[in-house]
């Protein structure tokens, strides 16, 4: 049997192996559906099989083996596959591993049906490898392009968000230079302090992101404390920051917890600000704290447009931003660098806890933090 025909006849068996291997790429794949894990694999394989059966010149075959062939149908599917894998959090080595596993699976399964390995069999293997190489090259190209786009977007957001507080700070410094009746300008002083705090938060987020990229993680120093009281204080601060938004709290009293208070306050601030930013103003943002067994459970919930399915896979990844149409421009946090949820997850992990998200039009969006007591 020709390898191209074997692929067509046994495509489901091959896809099962593809899916099983892709699911080992955790954490990105642990919550993905079968359809998401198999995305475009069926079309990629059929396109490769079709090209194997077509006549090609030596120049065309050499170009395919080097990933330089002209884009065709398969190129479109492979390119889209690379884009989607980048979007759901696969890294470049995991993307390459998928194609390596696909190559090995097809050849291993086929060899069980091959009797004698002759020149014709070797020719089939060569043609198949050329198709896989071309598909991988196209997938890696679009993956890299989207990575570069994400980096450029991050730098643009950083520049934009730094410009606003720096401009306000510059104006305040100018105003503070003119003392009226021997008294400083209190309003200018307050705005200057707020601007400095915003810049400081952005720099802190960038430094902590860098620490995690260097493998150090975010330092957590737990001490015994009252988690309920900390949540109440953080809730009051967010209420003061958004006086026009309705926020509600249901906090169980005296929930004792070994925690890094400053870090947990950061988690609360990130989750509550995120809920206000992306929630529908017609509905309140809800904060709930209760005890379940040996765990303290923190829930932040808002209503509005649900988080898209593809964003659910990467929402805790660094440099990811989920834009909601309900967000008012004036409510957009200055430190919206796409690092808030990533840092929140790292802090929760440092406490031995977990953070999960669920989102639907009917139930709203809920972030649930579970912390061992």
């Amino acid at each position: 049997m020709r390898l191209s025909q074997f692929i067509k006849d046994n495509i489901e068996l091959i896809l099962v192996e593809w899916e099983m291997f892709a699911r080992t790429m955790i954490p990105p794949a642990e919550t993905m559906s079968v359809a998401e894990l198999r995305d475009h694999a069926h079309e990629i394989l059929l396109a490769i099989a079709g090209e194997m059966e077509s006549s090609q010149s030596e120049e065309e075959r050499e170009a395919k083996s080097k990933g330089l062939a002209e884009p065709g149908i398969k190129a479109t599917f492979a390119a889209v596959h690379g884009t989607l894998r980048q979007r759901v959090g696969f890294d470049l080595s995991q993307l390459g591993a998928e194609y390596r596993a696909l190559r090995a699976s097809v050849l291993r399964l086929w060899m069980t049906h091959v009797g004698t390995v002759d020149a014709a069999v070797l020719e089939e293997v060569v043609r198949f490898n050329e198709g896989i190489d071309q598909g991988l090259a196209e997938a890696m190209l679009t993956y890299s392009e989207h990575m570069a786009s994400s980096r450029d977007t991050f730098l643009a957001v950083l520049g934009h968000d730094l410009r606003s507080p720096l401009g306000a700070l510059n104006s305040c410094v100018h105003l503070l230079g003119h003392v009226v009746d021997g008294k400083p300008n209190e309003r200018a002083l307050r705005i200057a302090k707020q601007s400095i705090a915003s810049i400081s938060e952005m720099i802190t987020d960038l430094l902590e992101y860098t620490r995690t990229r260097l493998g150090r993680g975010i330092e957590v120093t737990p001490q015994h404390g009252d988690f309920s009281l900390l949540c109440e204080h953080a809730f009051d601060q967010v209420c003061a920051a958004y006086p026009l938004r309705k926020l509600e709290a249901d906090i169980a009293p005296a929930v004792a917890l070994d925690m890094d208070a400053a870090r947990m306050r950061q988690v609360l601030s990130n989750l509550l600000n995120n809920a206000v930013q992306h929630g529908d103003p017609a509905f309140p943002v809800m904060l709930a704290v209760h005890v379940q067994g040996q765990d303290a459970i923190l829930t932040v919930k808002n209503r509005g447009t649900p988080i898209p399915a593809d964003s659910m896979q990467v929402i805790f990844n660094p440099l990811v931003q989920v834009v909601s149409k309900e967000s008012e421009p004036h409510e957009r946090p200055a430190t919206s660098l796409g690092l808030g949820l990533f840092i929140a997850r790292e802090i929760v992990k440092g406490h031995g806890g977990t953070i999960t998200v669920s989102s639907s039009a009917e139930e709203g969006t809920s972030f649930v933090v579970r912390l061992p007591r």
Side-chain angles (χ1 to χ4, degrees):
M1 179 186 292
R2 294 189 62 181
L3 177 53
S4 57
Q5 188 61 46
F6 176 82
I7 292 174
K8 295 177 181 178
D9 292 347
N10 297 273
I11 196 163
E12 179 60 26
L13 179 62
I14 296 169
L15 289 176
V16 168
E17 292 216 2
W18 170 296
E19 177 196 339
M20 290 174 61
F21 181 81
R23 200 170 289 282
T24 67
M25 302 298 186
I26 54 175
E30 60 186 359
T31 58
M32 295 173 68
S33 66
V34 171
E36 290 168 331
L37 285 168
R38 292 188 180 190
D39 81 86
H40 294 97
H42 186 277
E43 292 85 353
I44 292 171
L45 282 169
L46 289 182
I48 291 175
E51 289 188 4
M52 290 174 64
E53 296 173 348
S54 65
S55 59
Q56 292 181 322
S57 66
E58 287 300 320
E59 291 78 10
E60 290 173 328
R61 292 180 59 180
E62 181 181 0
K64 281 178 60 182
S65 67
K66 295 178 179 179
L68 302 175
E70 289 296 321
I73 296 178
K74 175 186 66 62
T76 301
F77 291 132
V80 172
H81 177 78
T83 299
L84 294 177
R85 283 304 195 246
Q86 189 274 330
R87 187 178 299 165
V88 300
F90 278 56
D91 61 33
L92 203 55
S93 64
Q94 290 172 330
L95 176 65
E98 277 196 298
Y99 279 82
R100 187 172 65 248
L102 179 62
R103 187 199 312 267
S105 295
V106 170
L107 293 178
R108 178 178 55 78
L109 292 170
W110 184 51
M111 284 302 172
T112 62
H113 290 72
V114 174
T116 304
V117 177
D118 53 20
V121 170
L122 293 177
E123 176 71 9
E124 290 281 291
V125 172
V126 170
R127 292 289 300 270
F128 174 70
N129 282 331
E130 290 169 354
I132 287 288
D133 291 339
Q134 177 64 21
L136 175 58
E138 290 158 359
M140 293 180 73
L141 176 61
T142 55
Y143 182 101
S144 300
E145 288 175 346
H146 278 264
M147 282 291 292
S149 176
S150 297
R151 182 181 62 248
D152 293 342
T153 300
F154 169 73
L155 292 174
V157 171
L158 176 61
H160 177 274
D161 285 357
L162 280 174
R163 182 185 301 166
S164 179
L166 282 173
L169 187 59
N170 181 63
S171 299
C172 290
V173 169
H174 178 73
L175 291 173
L176 290 171
H178 299 78
V179 179
V180 180
D181 298 331
K183 297 180 180 179
N185 189 319
E186 294 295 335
R187 181 175 181 273
L189 187 61
R190 185 179 69 256
I191 295 174
K193 290 180 178 179
Q194 291 173 345
S195 299
I196 291 172
S198 295
I199 295 171
S200 177
E201 288 177 13
M202 279 185 271
I203 292 173
T204 298
D205 283 354
L206 287 170
L207 290 175
E208 292 184 341
Y209 167 65
T210 303
R211 285 179 59 87
T212 61
R213 297 295 291 178
L214 293 174
R216 300 177 187 174
I218 295 179
E219 291 185 4
V220 172
T221 307
Q223 293 182 339
H224 198 67
D226 188 339
F227 186 54
S228 299
L229 187 61
L230 183 146
C231 292
E232 290 173 1
H233 290 168
F235 179 79
D236 290 341
Q237 289 176 351
V238 175
C239 288
Y242 299 97
L244 300 181
R245 290 296 297 271
K246 184 177 181 181
L247 293 90
E248 298 178 358
D250 179 15
I251 302 174
V255 176
L257 189 69
D258 288 339
M259 61 183 176
D260 186 320
R263 292 299 192 186
M264 288 311 304
R265 191 176 296 111
Q266 192 175 359
V267 171
L268 280 159
S269 177
N270 283 340
L271 293 180
L272 287 170
N273 279 307
N274 183 74
V276 171
Q277 178 190 1
H278 297 292
D280 186 340
F283 297 91
V285 171
M286 307 288 295
L287 168 65
V289 177
H290 65 278
V291 174
Q292 187 179 82
Q294 297 300 314
D295 297 333
I297 309 297
L298 164 71
T299 304
V300 176
K301 181 177 181 179
N302 67 291
R303 300 295 295 269
T305 303
I307 300 171
D310 55 355
S311 296
M312 289 284 283
Q313 306 297 331
V314 294
I315 195 168
F316 293 108
N317 288 5
L319 314 187
V320 170
Q321 294 178 324
V322 180
V323 179
S324 170
K325 295 180 180 179
E326 280 76 14
S327 300
E328 296 293 335
H330 66 277
E331 291 181 337
R332 180 172 177 266
T335 54
S336 56
L337 300 180
L339 294 174
L341 292 177
F342 167 73
I343 290 172
R345 183 189 66 178
E346 293 301 306
I347 293 173
V348 171
K349 285 170 60 178
H351 284 79
T354 61
I355 179 170
T356 57
V357 58
S358 61
S359 186
S360 68
E362 297 76 18
E363 300 296 329
T365 298
S366 297
F367 286 86
V368 179
V369 176
R370 182 179 292 269
L371 298 165
R373 300 180 66 204

